[in-house]
């Protein structure tokens, strides 16, 4: 099993053995906008979900805290998201980047979610400490053609997405509200005209009330061509 380690604002460390990893999809609060997005994706050949919001089980080992993601081709990209991490000592909130295979996505979203890792930050907050002002927390993503992400591609806030408490209710219904469960939130809109198939990605979640931020950053490396 994958073990993740998170530093809290007080300097203490929480380690979590990942038993269940789930990726939310089509998880915007404005579901009319979600349906419009589904129609846009359908024109690109991406199959729509049977219901929204969607929830995709992902292999637990794909929850990673790495600085490099290896991929099989050039059409993969990240997604700025938050993540819930359930521990023996309460629920943590951190930042995540769901790296997705866009070529595989047209054959099945669930398949594409299992093709690359969910990269999580190394710092986290206790959900109870930020619950009363979640909508004010910003969520931003940057990409870069080199090793340093320098172009803003996603710029939103947690107000755009279904809340952590909504998803905790879903987990409760499914019997998954237990230590070792990690849920990734679904993403926010990308800026048009920015190359999402970039070499580097950074996602940052910032809290204007506490002045704290958590981030994750990595480079994308394409593997050699297969033989055979």
């Amino acid at each position: 099993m994958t073990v993740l380690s998170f530093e809290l604002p007080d300097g203490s460390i929480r380690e979590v053995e990942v038993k269940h990893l789930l990726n939310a999809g089509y998880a915007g609060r404005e579901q009319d906008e979600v349906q419009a997005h589904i129609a846009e994706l359908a024109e690109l050949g991406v199959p729509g979900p049977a219901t929204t919001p969607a929830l995709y089980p992902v292999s637990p080992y794909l929850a990673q805290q790495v600085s490099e993601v290896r991929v099989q081709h050039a059409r993969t990209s990240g997604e700025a998201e938050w993540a819930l991490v359930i521990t023996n000592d309460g629920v943590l909130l951190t930042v995540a980047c769901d790296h997705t295979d866009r070529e595989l996505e047209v054959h099945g979203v669930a398949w594409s979610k299992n093709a690359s890792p969910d990269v999580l930050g190394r710092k986290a907050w206790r959900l109870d400490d930020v619950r009363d002002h979640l909508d004010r927390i910003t969520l931003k993503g940057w990409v870069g053609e080199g090793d340093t992400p320098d172009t803003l591609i996603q710029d939103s806030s947690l107000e755009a997405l279904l809340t952590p408490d909504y998803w905790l209710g879903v987990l409760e219904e499914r019997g998954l509200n237990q230590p070792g469960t990690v849920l990734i939130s679904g993403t926010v809109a990308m800026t048009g005209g920015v190359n999402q198939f970039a070499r580097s990605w950074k996602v940052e979640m910032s809290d204007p009330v506490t002045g704290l931020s958590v981030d994750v950053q990595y480079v994308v490396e394409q593997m050699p061509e297969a033989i055979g």
Side-chain angles (χ1 to χ4, degrees):
M1 290 285 186
T2 296
V3 176
L4 304 176
S5 179
F6 300 97
E7 180 183 351
L8 301 187
D10 62 7
S12 62
I13 302 296
R14 296 291 184 275
E15 290 191 344
V16 182
E17 182 179 295
V18 182
K19 299 176 180 177
H20 302 281
L21 177 60
L22 302 114
N23 282 17
Y26 309 102
R29 288 192 204 174
E30 298 298 330
Q31 285 290 299
D32 288 345
E33 295 179 8
V34 170
Q35 293 302 320
H37 179 55
I38 290 171
E40 292 172 355
L41 290 176
E43 294 180 1
L44 300 175
V46 178
T51 185
T52 62
L55 192 61
Y56 304 102
V58 180
S59 298
Y61 71 85
L62 291 173
Q64 298 182 14
Q65 292 172 311
V66 295
S67 58
E68 180 181 280
V69 170
R70 300 225 167 187
V71 299
Q72 292 180 305
H73 55 79
R75 291 185 62 81
T76 70
S77 62
E79 294 180 345
E81 312 201 11
W82 54 254
L84 285 179
V85 182
I86 303 179
T87 78
N88 289 312
D89 188 33
V91 182
L92 304 182
L93 181 71
T94 189
V95 71
C97 196
D98 169 20
H99 205 79
T100 301
D101 188 318
R102 302 303 179 186
E103 290 285 355
L104 190 56
E105 193 173 38
V106 301
H107 301 287
V109 173
W111 293 350
S112 70
K113 297 298 183 187
N114 277 278
S116 295
D118 287 325
V119 186
L120 287 88
R122 296 182 181 273
K123 294 184 178 182
W125 306 323
R126 295 178 182 87
L127 179 61
D128 286 344
D129 291 345
V130 297
R131 182 180 265 113
D132 64 350
H133 59 273
L134 281 169
D135 285 357
R136 297 178 61 185
I137 294 174
T138 61
L139 183 64
K140 297 184 179 184
W142 291 265
V143 293
E145 298 306 320
D147 291 349
T148 302
D150 54 8
T151 302
L152 190 66
I153 190 171
Q154 292 177 277
D155 186 359
S156 189
S157 72
L158 271 59
E159 185 179 19
L161 297 166
L162 293 170
T163 67
D165 283 331
Y166 170 87
W167 288 113
L168 287 172
V170 172
L171 294 177
E172 184 71 36
E173 293 172 358
R174 296 171 65 97
L176 294 172
N177 191 358
Q178 58 186 262
T181 293
V182 176
L183 182 142
I184 313 294
S185 67
T187 195
V188 295
M190 290 190 184
T191 302
V194 178
N195 176 30
Q196 64 177 291
F197 306 119
R199 170 168 168 75
S200 56
W201 270 85
K202 177 182 177 180
V203 179
E204 182 180 80
M205 193 165 62
S206 298
D207 183 345
V209 174
T210 64
L212 299 176
S213 63
V214 291
D215 64 44
V216 63
Q217 182 173 329
Y218 60 88
V219 295
V220 181
E221 291 285 357
Q222 191 168 335
M223 292 182 284
E225 292 284 339
I227 299 174

